[in-house]
Amino acid sequence: MKNYKSSLLCLAGIAGLVLNASTAVAATSGSHYPLGGEGVAAGSPPPPGLHYRMYNTWYNADTLTDNNGDDVGLDFDLSAYAQIHRFVHITEKKIWGANWGYNALIPMVNKDISIDPIGVDASTSFALGDVILEPLALFWYRERYDAILTLAVIAPTGDYDVSDAASPGLGYWSGMLTAGGTYYMDTEKSWTISALTRTLVHTEQDDTNVRPGSEFTIEGGIGKQFMVDNQWLVRPGINYCATWQISDDSQDGPGTIANERKEAYGIGAELNMLYLPWLLQGNMRYVHEFGAKNTAEGSSFVFTLTKSF
């Protein structure tokens, strides 16, 4: 049953989930890829075929950090909900021994942000975010491991306004390279350990003319899956994630310092359940952030539903 117990690979972007504009963070805060978008089986691709996945992410943060990772002391509050609809097709066509696939993600974002001392109080009500298109996705299925290599483009389809901290879009294009995999620690493939990396490179942001620095993220986890009965398969596990800004912004943005790079870390737990007769999968994940610098620090809860056809 290996094909159906794998989670879909990456969650490429809850646009603007972390933050869009603040005087306390790097020149263009926010990211097209949220911390902890995938979890324990992040490096496991879906099986060949058609798949639909709906991500539901709730994010809350009340801390903004400086270059030393200290709370800047502002009365800050951010709450966001994003629902992402993902459509995946994995074909039988082989490229370099891998199955070729492609997919698209359409995010809808609801966000409220306030920073009282500087008069920021903005909200967005379930608006279209930045759409992700992944035309090249390669998946290797092996006896003791799975591997992933993909290229994606993220389009600035969401509205962006430099004066609106709750803008659902980020105002720039991004390219994203994804690479990683899952290793099966036993012959029954019940114990898994995974790592999935993403490298994001950006164009200049609308209105500010600032090119955000490139980003590198890694996420994954360790899990144990087992059959409850002949219909239900369950996989609990511990997940981890980390992100670093690996190059400076091109120049200072409004009220910011160009060479102050963002970073953050997260750890959490999750439970994945698969109802085999319907090929229906549900996943619940909690991620607690820590060690953040030049960005918001909070926590997220993710609930996903996946239907394979």
Side-chain angles (χ1 to χ4, degrees):
M1 307 310 299
K2 170 243 182 187
N3 282 347
Y4 296 112
K5 60 198 181 191
S6 300
S7 66
L8 296 179
L9 74 143
C10 62
L11 167 66
I14 298 173
L17 248 187
V18 176
L19 194 52
N20 213 25
S22 166
T23 60
V25 291
T28 46
S29 49
S31 175
H32 276 137
Y33 191 82
L35 192 61
E38 293 286 355
V40 166
S44 295
L50 296 172
H51 312 272
Y52 166 72
R53 191 171 209 187
M54 180 175 66
Y55 299 84
N56 298 274
T57 299
W58 292 264
Y59 180 81
N60 288 279
D62 58 8
T63 301
L64 279 175
T65 60
D66 60 18
N67 200 45
N68 296 317
D70 298 324
D71 188 344
V72 300
L74 293 176
D75 186 5
F76 165 77
D77 185 70
L78 169 65
S79 61
Y81 167 69
Q83 184 180 93
I84 297 181
H85 302 273
R86 184 173 191 174
F87 305 91
V88 183
H89 183 204
I90 308 299
T91 74
E92 297 291 349
K93 181 177 176 60
K94 298 290 186 175
I95 300 177
W96 301 329
N99 287 67
W100 167 64
Y102 55 90
N103 67 105
L105 298 94
I106 303 172
M108 301 298 294
V109 180
N110 187 88
K111 181 164 55 176
D112 293 282
I113 178 172
S114 64
I115 312 176
D116 288 342
I118 57 177
V120 173
D121 187 6
S123 63
T124 295
S125 181
F126 216 57
L128 177 68
D130 292 342
V131 170
I132 301 97
L133 302 174
E134 197 166 59
L136 179 62
L138 301 179
F139 308 104
W140 288 265
Y141 306 92
R142 299 294 185 263
E143 286 299 318
R144 296 298 297 267
Y145 70 90
D146 297 323
I148 294 172
L149 180 65
T150 77
L151 288 173
V153 61
I154 305 172
T157 51
D159 288 338
Y160 171 74
D161 185 337
V162 69
S163 64
D164 182 5
S167 293
L170 293 182
Y172 53 83
W173 291 79
S174 296
M176 183 170 68
L177 169 68
T178 299
T182 294
Y183 177 70
Y184 298 96
M185 293 183 283
D186 58 348
T187 56
E188 292 78 21
K189 299 184 177 181
S190 64
W191 282 98
T192 61
I193 185 169
S194 66
L196 193 68
T197 67
R198 303 184 197 281
T199 304
L200 290 94
V201 179
H202 315 295
T203 65
E204 283 190 355
Q205 186 178 48
D206 294 342
D207 297 343
T208 67
N209 296 320
V210 176
R211 179 178 179 175
S214 300
E215 303 169 70
F216 178 81
T217 72
I218 184 170
E219 61 186 334
I222 183 169
K224 165 68 173 178
Q225 62 187 18
F226 55 90
M227 296 292 299
V228 176
D229 53 32
N230 62 355
Q231 294 183 320
W232 286 95
L233 186 149
V234 176
R235 186 191 63 230
I238 301 298
N239 60 71
Y240 69 88
C241 50
T243 184
W244 299 269
Q245 183 178 336
I246 56 177
S247 67
D248 293 341
D249 296 335
S250 62
Q251 63 185 51
D252 290 356
T256 61
I257 301 175
N259 62 0
E260 291 188 349
R261 301 184 183 184
K262 297 172 291 183
E263 67 178 80
Y265 307 86
I267 192 167
E270 69 178 67
L271 178 65
N272 188 79
M273 298 172 291
L274 178 66
Y275 185 60
L276 298 173
W278 293 357
L279 302 182
L280 183 65
Q281 183 179 174
N283 183 283
M284 296 177 289
R285 181 184 318 111
Y286 173 78
V287 179
H288 173 73
E289 297 176 357
F290 63 94
K293 294 182 180 180
N294 298 309
T295 189
E297 184 177 273
S299 60
S300 60
F301 176 77
V302 184
F303 175 66
T304 60
L305 281 174
T306 305
K307 180 68 175 77
S308 298
F309 301 93

